[in-house]
Amino acid sequence: LIQFFSKMKKWADMANLSQEFRERVEQLERNFEVSTVIFKKFEPIFLDMFQNRHEDQPRLQRSRKQRRLPCSTSDAFSFCWTLFVYTK
């Protein structure tokens, strides 16, 4: 995304876009930077509370009956982060 924002600024310069548009792009970039910092703090806290999400073992279905499997650590990680992003 860093490359995206630098290319976006160059494109805005070439296309002589309005100041309002440039300010909105800068606001998006600041929001992204804040979310990145928060994510870097969230991940170690999550890993302290739960087992490492990269160590989740794939779960095999044992019967033909479709049952909902328990929530894995990676599912909880994705849910927590997505919930934060949506509420932010």
Side-chain angles (χ1 to χ4, degrees):
L1 278 172
I2 294 169
Q3 286 181 334
F4 169 77
F5 285 115
S6 67
K7 289 180 180 183
M8 187 68 166
K9 288 177 186 177
K10 289 178 186 177
W11 178 73
D13 291 339
M14 291 187 322
N16 293 325
L17 296 178
S18 69
Q19 187 62 30
E20 180 186 357
F21 184 83
R22 293 170 193 259
E23 289 170 1
R24 288 181 184 244
V25 170
E26 288 176 10
Q27 181 66 37
L28 280 173
E29 187 174 14
R30 283 192 299 274
N31 288 346
F32 169 70
E33 290 169 354
V34 169
S35 295
T36 301
V37 169
I38 292 171
F39 182 79
K40 287 180 181 176
K41 292 182 184 239
F42 167 73
E43 191 171 27
I45 292 169
F46 183 89
L47 293 176
D48 284 345
M49 293 176 64
F50 300 96
Q51 73 180 17
N52 189 339
R53 65 187 169 99
H54 299 293
E55 294 176 1
D56 275 351
Q57 298 295 323
R59 294 169 287 172
L60 300 175
Q61 196 79 9
R62 294 188 182 213
S63 69
R64 292 174 57 181
K65 184 178 177 183
Q66 294 293 327
R67 271 192 301 161
R68 181 158 171 76
L69 298 172
C71 181
S72 70
T73 308
S74 59
D75 292 338
F77 182 86
S78 296
F79 173 76
C80 290
W81 182 248
T82 303
L83 182 63
F84 170 78
V85 170
Y86 278 126
T87 56
K88 186 178 182 293

